[in-house]
Amino acid sequence: MSDDAVVEAADRAARVWAAAAPGPIVPGSEAHKAAFCDMLLDTHNPYKPSIIDWPELDPEARNRLVGLPIWDIAVQTEGKARLRVLSYGQTITDPLLQRAIDLDGFEEGRHKEVLSNLVQAYGIRLASEPEYHRPRDPEWAFIVTGFSECIDSVFAFGLFALAKSSGFFPPALVDTFEPVMQEEGRHIGIARGFDGAGNGEGGMVPQDNNFTLTGSKSVGAADLSIRALIDICLAENDRRLSGYDPRLLRPTVVPCLLRFVRCFLPRSASGAAAS
């Protein structure tokens, strides 16, 4: 099997997974730990950022990409996430859990490498990166990172779909970046079930200037009603998580809040959701 075929097979396998154990899975139990660890390990996609063939863009498409005000925040967010996750992994003594968390940290670092290669390929200038510091409380930092990704991902999925349907991102670039988006879906929701929240890293806050919302107007969200944008975000969140065992935890706070807000928003003929 060729390298491309291996990567394609891994991409398919990364989207559908079910635990072998029958019956319910109680959050925080040994069965729960085994299930989400196995999910991360079994669905790992072995793509290599260094060999990604970034498509050539016409000047208009490249200018749109370069003009997005998200790249500094995106690269720095992944850099911080990598260090926080790997720092937490160093505190774990359970072999299976440590393998899963270390893989999670590796994938966060790989996201940063992908983004760094993307901005280099298209000549996007970044501000100097800050020095990344290891957290004083690794467990709390891991939980903050996990829950922050639960918040960010709902909007990121919807805005990525919007950029695709509007033609803001050319199809070739969408296809190239797609594995990273799905990988984010694999990461969210695994922090619940641990005893204790730790302390010393500050309050629970959305992660570092939610860059998915920062770029929303740039990819066409300004032409949609808020209700239509919510519909897209909810539909994409459901679609990307639907292939994983329903007994695993799903982020619920942001989807529930969005559905609640949606109830009070007027329908708008100009705000039809993009498919």
Side-chain angles (χ1 to χ4, degrees):
M1 184 179 293
S2 67
D3 289 343
D4 288 344
V6 170
V7 172
E8 289 177 6
D11 183 66
R12 290 193 298 271
R15 298 170 187 275
V16 179
W17 184 89
I25 297 177
V26 179
S29 66
E30 282 296 309
H32 178 218
K33 179 197 73 176
F36 73 67
C37 287
D38 289 343
M39 187 274 285
L40 284 174
L41 295 168
D42 293 348
T43 59
H44 172 66
N45 188 327
Y47 72 86
K48 297 179 180 180
S50 61
I51 63 172
I52 291 178
D53 185 16
W54 295 103
E56 183 175 350
L57 303 181
D58 62 58
E60 184 179 352
R62 180 188 172 278
N63 289 338
R64 289 199 302 269
L65 188 72
V66 172
L68 282 175
I70 66 172
W71 301 115
D72 292 312
I73 296 172
V75 171
Q76 293 175 24
T77 296
E78 297 295 352
K80 292 176 182 178
R82 172 187 177 276
L83 186 57
R84 291 169 180 173
V85 173
L86 291 179
S87 295
Y88 176 61
Q90 292 174 355
T91 71
I92 298 172
T93 57
D94 182 286
L96 177 61
L97 183 58
Q98 187 178 52
R99 283 178 58 209
I101 298 302
D102 285 348
L103 178 64
D104 186 6
F106 165 80
E107 291 177 351
E108 294 289 1
R110 190 169 60 174
H111 294 171
K112 181 179 184 296
E113 187 177 350
V114 169
L115 289 170
S116 298
N117 291 350
L118 181 150
V119 299
Q120 183 177 10
Y122 298 118
I124 300 171
R125 294 185 178 181
L126 297 181
S128 298
E129 289 186 59
E131 184 178 352
Y132 301 118
H133 299 284
R134 292 186 177 276
R136 294 188 302 272
D137 186 331
E139 182 182 43
W140 178 248
F142 175 75
I143 292 173
V144 169
T145 299
F147 276 90
S148 296
E149 288 198 340
C150 290
I151 296 170
D152 285 347
S153 62
V154 177
F155 301 103
F157 294 157
L159 293 173
F160 187 73
L162 183 61
K164 177 182 178 180
S165 64
S166 68
F168 184 90
F169 288 160
L173 185 60
V174 170
D175 293 342
T176 301
F177 207 74
E178 170 61 30
V180 176
M181 294 300 300
Q182 188 62 32
E183 199 160 76
E184 288 290 359
R186 291 170 56 256
H187 288 178
I188 59 179
I190 66 173
R192 274 185 63 187
F194 293 97
D195 293 328
N199 50 51
E201 285 297 316
M204 181 71 70
V205 294
Q207 183 166 314
D208 306 320
N209 300 318
N210 192 320
F211 63 84
T212 61
L213 293 181
T214 303
S216 61
K217 293 183 179 180
S218 301
V219 298
D223 297 330
L224 292 176
S225 67
I226 297 176
R227 183 188 182 99
L229 180 58
I230 288 175
D231 287 343
I232 294 172
C233 290
L234 291 173
E236 279 297 295
N237 186 67
D238 290 343
R239 182 181 71 84
R240 287 191 178 273
L241 300 185
S242 64
Y244 304 123
D245 195 316
R247 295 172 294 174
L248 292 176
L249 295 170
R250 300 286 196 278
T252 57
V253 174
V254 173
C256 286
L257 286 175
L258 289 178
R259 289 186 174 95
F260 177 76
V261 170
R262 184 181 180 278
C263 293
F264 298 94
L265 296 175
R267 293 182 179 274
S268 172
S270 62
S275 59

